[in-house]
Amino acid sequence: MSTSVKRIGVLTSGGDAPGMNAAVRAVYRACVNFGIDCLGIYRGWNGLINSEVKRLERNDVAHIINRGGTILYSARSKEFMTDEGRKKAYATCKLFGIDGIVAIGGDGTFRGALELSKYGIPVIGIPCTIDNDISSTGYTIGFDTAANTAIECIDKLRDTMQSHERCSVVEVMGRNAGYLAMYVGIAVGATAVLVPEETIDFDRDVIEKIRAARLNGFTHYMIVVAEGAMNGAYDVAEKIKDTLGLDPRVTILGHIQRGGSPTARDRVTATRMGYYAVKSLVEGKANRVVALKSGDLIDIDIIEALNMTKTLYPLDSETLRAMTGTNTYSRN
Ligand code: F6P
């Protein structure tokens, strides 16, 4: 394939996610395949502002497909939100001869990419966040690993909650997004799941569900709360204590969900998306984001992608109830 693209940059930005390294590796290897240079940009958009740029070599990406975190480091750049910051970033692109950028991250990363594209630098976004909250794609790299980490932890919690006949309130990540909480809640057979997207009627969505479980013979209860639902797990536990006289134990899973070796799904998705992104730049595409739709990779205009809205789950609440039993999900 003949191309005018000689050199592309790759960066990881925003909250890290397992599979970021696999995506960086795939971008590098695709560049080798197309005979172009791959420049690593360190510390997200800050790296472009501060010229933290280095040509990646084979050894830089050797044995990283299995590693959590990101070898390129990550950051949420305040300076890149300013005109001045973006001008510096553009100057770095000119200095290093960067013909295009692959930006790996979430919505915030894509917004940054859109801003840079206004200076004439072609960008392609790869969706990568444990929140799975990017509207344009059915899947974001990192979600599967994070969900499995949370499930493993909650299964362990259940053992001790069952022995002591306790109520567990466990908080999973997701300040604005309940997808992880809902998915994990279904997978662990939670008594109730609380997500930020839904209006919560505490009596209906938690208290009555615990009562129903008790009436069904259960003596331990698992309440899964997304970080951004109500005021978090401590608030939920307090209310359960006040109303039911139980003595709930709170567990915040926190950043543990962002680490660890990526699952096969995350490694393979990252590998496919990394190649797709580089191929897109080589073919002259610009300002697109890669997305997974019905198992296939597609690319979508970045502005269109940022304007899309995602439903929490592509199922109505009746179907969810039928699937999970009566005591799982809070939505009416
Ligand atoms: O966007 C990913 C995410 O892990 C969210 O689920 C969480 O709310 C947030 O990042 C935490 O950010 P930080 O690492 O800056 O505390």
Side-chain angles (χ1 to χ4, degrees), residues 238-267:
E238 201 58 37
K239 288 196 167 63
I240 292 173
K241 188 173 182 178
D242 289 348
T243 318
L244 293 172
L246 297 174
D247 188 16
R249 292 296 188 268
V250 173
T251 307
I252 313 275
L253 294 182
H255 288 81
I256 206 144
Q257 296 157 100
R258 289 233 300 252
S261 181
T263 59
R265 181 174 187 190
D266 283 327
R267 295 182 196 194

Side-chain angles (χ1 to χ4, degrees), residues 47-58:
L48 211 53
I49 292 169
N50 302 321
S51 295
E52 294 182 81
V53 178
K54 171 187 170 298
R55 186 169 57 211
L56 294 178
E57 307 293 347
R58 188 167 287 271

Side-chain angles (χ1 to χ4, degrees), residues 123-166:
V123 287
I124 303 284
I126 292 183
C128 189
T129 160
I130 67 161
D131 291 346
N132 202 21
D133 62 343
I134 299 183
S135 316
S136 51
T137 181
Y139 186 74
T140 63
I141 299 161
F143 174 76
D144 189 56
T145 309
N148 278 295
T149 299
I151 289 164
E152 194 186 333
C153 293
I154 295 172
D155 285 348
K156 287 180 178 162
L157 271 177
R158 187 184 282 285
D159 291 344
T160 170
M161 293 303 140
Q162 183 270 326
S163 307
H164 288 268
E165 301 180 280
R166 276 175 173 156

Side-chain angles (χ1 to χ4, degrees), residues 128-328:
C128 189
T129 160
I130 67 161
D131 291 346
N132 202 21
D133 62 343
I134 299 183
S135 316
S136 51
T137 181
Y139 186 74
T140 63
I141 299 161
F143 174 76
D144 189 56
T145 309
N148 278 295
T149 299
I151 289 164
E152 194 186 333
C153 293
I154 295 172
D155 285 348
K156 287 180 178 162
L157 271 177
R158 187 184 282 285
D159 291 344
T160 170
M161 293 303 140
Q162 183 270 326
S163 307
H164 288 268
E165 301 180 280
R166 276 175 173 156
C167 175
S168 179
V169 181
V170 54
E171 185 178 297
V172 302
M173 272 195 161
R175 223 170 358 226
N176 308 309
Y179 200 91
L180 185 63
M182 188 208 54
Y183 192 86
V184 164
I186 291 173
V188 300
T191 313
V193 182
L194 300 177
V195 295
E197 291 90 340
E198 303 286 336
T199 312
I200 295 163
D201 173 337
F202 200 73
D203 197 54
R204 176 197 66 188
D205 299 332
V206 181
I207 299 302
E208 282 306 320
K209 287 183 175 177
I210 294 175
R211 284 198 180 117
R214 183 69 191 86
L215 286 166
N216 283 334
F218 290 95
T219 55
H220 72 280
Y221 318 99
M222 185 60 67
I223 314 298
V224 175
V225 182
E227 200 183 345
M230 300 190 48
N231 289 319
Y234 282 104
D235 182 38
V236 171
E238 201 58 37
K239 288 196 167 63
I240 292 173
K241 188 173 182 178
D242 289 348
T243 318
L244 293 172
L246 297 174
D247 188 16
R249 292 296 188 268
V250 173
T251 307
I252 313 275
L253 294 182
H255 288 81
I256 206 144
Q257 296 157 100
R258 289 233 300 252
S261 181
T263 59
R265 181 174 187 190
D266 283 327
R267 295 182 196 194
V268 173
T269 307
T271 301
R272 290 177 66 197
M273 286 187 173
Y275 175 78
Y276 190 100
V278 175
K279 185 165 173 281
S280 301
L281 282 172
V282 167
E283 286 171 352
K285 289 185 184 173
N287 316 333
R288 317 280 297 171
V289 294
V290 182
L292 192 68
K293 195 174 178 206
S294 310
D296 292 326
L297 292 187
I298 57 168
D299 53 276
I300 300 173
D301 175 73
I302 199 162
I303 296 176
E304 203 184 308
L306 283 168
N307 285 333
M308 290 165 103
T309 51
K310 187 171 197 166
T311 53
L312 190 58
Y313 202 77
L315 286 175
D316 61 84
S317 44
E318 280 308 307
T319 314
L320 265 168
R321 279 215 184 82
M323 266 168 44
T324 60
T326 51
N327 292 331
T328 299

